[in-house]
Amino acid sequence: MKAKITLITLIMLLSFGSKLLAQNTPSKPNSTNKTVLLINTHLTYPGWSEGKLNASFYNVAKEFFISKKSIIDKAAYL
């Protein structure tokens, strides 16, 4: 009984380790650029909400994706 439990535990550990290796090694290099759609949908309300926080989030996301060499498609709700 103890040998069966040890054998089953060993098999489970080996299979778990192989899954970790499979997730960490890419099967083929990804040389294509990904396209990202950034949407700024904030409406400005003068004197109450100027949209500065949303604009700053938009700019940070834009800079991040530019640094990752992604193609950025912009859309704005006006």
Side-chain angles (χ1 to χ4, degrees), residues 2-51:
K2 194 173 186 180
K4 287 183 180 179
I5 293 173
T6 306
L7 181 63
I8 291 171
T9 305
L10 180 64
I11 291 171
M12 287 176 56
L13 288 173
L14 289 174
S15 66
F16 180 70
S18 66
K19 288 180 185 177
L20 286 177
L21 284 174
Q23 292 175 358
N24 290 333
T25 56
S27 59
K28 59 182 178 180
N30 188 3
S31 62
T32 60
N33 293 341
K34 299 189 186 228
T35 302
V36 178
L37 175 63
L38 293 178
I39 302 172
N40 185 357
T41 61
H42 181 74
L43 297 174
T44 56
Y45 299 99
W48 185 57
S49 177
E50 301 296 327

